[in-house]
Amino acid sequence: MAKRTVERDEPPSTKKRPKRNCHFDKAWIQEFQGIGVSSKGKHHKEMATASSSSRSITSMFNPKVSESAIKAEALRAMFVAKHNIPLLASDHANKLFPKMFPDSELAKQFSCGRTKTTAIVTQALAPHFLNKVTS
């Protein structure tokens, strides 16, 4: 598509624009009463009540995972990567271990599906072994 050019007979205007004469009119406060006063409104009070009764996001994570469970997850991720096992198998193994070892606390804490396995392999194991190889 060809660009159109506009020919001008006269040079562009060099006039200065007039300054805008803006001001705040106090009559607007009465006219638009509900705007800007949301903290006193019904909806704001409902949302404040809901947020105070909600759990914090940190309470949704399990901080009581033992060091041995973290080590088991890393070993499992390394096993998956080394033997070229599909990551989908991690989702199944995640549910299988507690059933295989019902009396093991470690098996109950083990939580390493395909997403976590991928993160461990790509963000922890790969940089570690790449550093070992290159140095």
Side-chain angles (χ1 to χ4, degrees):
M1 214 172 178
K3 288 187 176 180
R4 293 184 183 181
T5 58
V6 179
E7 294 182 26
R8 294 187 176 184
D9 293 334
E10 53 191 58
S13 175
T14 57
K15 293 181 187 178
K16 281 191 166 184
R17 290 179 142 178
K19 286 188 176 181
R20 300 198 192 282
N21 191 10
C22 298
H23 67 280
F24 182 77
D25 189 358
K26 291 185 180 183
W28 293 341
I29 295 173
Q30 292 300 319
E31 187 176 342
F32 303 105
Q33 214 167 14
I35 297 176
V37 194
S38 64
S39 63
K40 296 178 183 175
K42 178 183 173 188
H43 180 71
H44 178 80
K45 289 178 183 176
E46 288 174 1
M47 296 306 287
T49 305
S51 68
S52 65
S53 65
S54 297
R55 293 188 319 167
S56 69
I57 194 160
T58 55
S59 69
M60 295 178 194
F61 296 102
N62 187 3
K64 297 178 182 175
V65 175
S66 69
E67 190 80 22
S68 57
I70 295 169
K71 188 175 180 180
E73 291 170 352
L75 288 170
R76 169 79 170 115
M78 191 160 55
F79 179 81
V80 167
K82 183 178 179 182
H83 296 286
N84 202 21
I85 297 172
L87 291 169
L88 189 59
S90 295
D91 284 345
H92 299 290
N94 199 19
K95 297 171 187 170
L96 183 65
F97 291 154
K99 291 179 183 175
M100 287 172 52
F101 311 107
D103 55 343
S104 172
E105 190 62 35
L106 179 62
K108 291 175 187 171
Q109 290 182 354
F110 187 89
S111 173
C112 194
R114 69 181 142 186
T115 307
K116 193 173 190 180
T117 303
T118 303
I120 292 170
V121 169
T122 59
Q123 297 174 10
L125 297 176
H128 171 73
F129 287 112
L130 186 64
N131 189 25
K132 263 189 157 179
V133 169
T134 57
S135 60

